[in-house]
Amino acid sequence: MRPLSLTARSSATLVAVGISLCVPAPALAQAWPAPANVGAVNVVYQAVANTGHRLHDGSMLEGYDSYSQSVLVNVDYAVTDRFSFALGVPYVASKYTGPEPSLFLLPIDECHCWNHGWQDIAGTARYTVVNGVVALTPSVSFGMPSHNYEYQGEAVLGLNLNEVRVALDAGHRFAAMPRLAVSARYSYAFVENVVDVPIDRSNFAITPSYAVTRKMTVTGVFAWQRTHGGLGSNEFATEEQFLQFDRLIRDNNFQMGATFARTFRHFDVFASYLDFVSGTDTHDGYAITAGVSWPFER
């Protein structure tokens, strides 16, 4: 195993972050609940292009590119006017696309071929404690690998780790500007330890939303991630740690983008662009997301 000065974290590990920030406009404003007995079936496609690596000092290293595509099938349902839950799982395909030999020279990368399969089953339970001009909705969610998939390399499905997340969504609608709403979300993920190293993380996002018309909404996305624990790419010391490189890397990043949503009579459509602006020990690149949401009432 050769020493490295950059992150080899798989592009597929960005899928969960990208999808969670690029879902339909109603889901972005999760501070406000849906009415009781109303739900939606969402089908979301996402493409993530990793076009470089941010080193431990934030500088850019070009090359070692990778590309992933995923389709998420998700069901969201409001049991009451305050309590709702969601359940979904993405199908991920990824491959290494860099012209140079991959960092770990693994067959899964060196073949430059697609590796695909189901990733992590995710579920969320939300309960709104304040619902009005101001809304507050705490939630608890989990992520569980659907099977024991490979996690080393670039062309992998994910990190193959269990985690539990606690979050708080807050929103405010402005009386003076009724078309404008601002939501914020903070979540803390308790992630399964790797070789006795904690790798919990915090995610924070601000999403201002503006209703251009009654059926058309534009939403901005500003998102930060901070890893609590882990190792910088210049801190790996043992072969055991190198074997867990993708899992242990201390990935801190800032992402920015926008979502467009349009409501039709029987369904909603949405599209978004998310750019990885800055960070340390993380990928540089972008994510494009598009999807359809079919609401239903029981």
Side-chain angles (χ1 to χ4, degrees), residues 243-275:
L243 291 174
Q244 301 289 338
F245 193 94
D246 296 338
R247 290 170 157 181
L248 288 177
I249 195 70
R250 189 184 300 130
D251 185 346
N252 300 321
N253 61 71
F254 170 58
Q255 306 163 29
M256 186 168 58
T259 296
F260 166 84
R262 174 70 160 83
T263 299
F264 293 91
R265 183 175 180 182
H266 297 296
F267 62 92
D268 302 333
V269 298
F270 53 94
S272 65
Y273 178 85
L274 187 70
D275 190 70

Side-chain angles (χ1 to χ4, degrees), residues 50-53 61-66 96 98-100:
N50 290 306
T51 56
H53 293 78
L61 178 66
E62 303 290 344
Y64 305 102
D65 299 353
S66 58
Y96 178 67
E100 305 88 354

Side-chain angles (χ1 to χ4, degrees), residues 16 58 124 145 162 172:
T124 301
N162 295 294
H172 179 65

Side-chain angles (χ1 to χ4, degrees), residues 1-21:
M1 184 68 64
R2 52 180 173 163
L4 303 174
S5 60
L6 53 94
T7 173
R9 179 178 291 269
S10 166
S11 63
T13 64
L14 299 173
V15 171
V17 175
I19 285 180
S20 67
L21 294 175

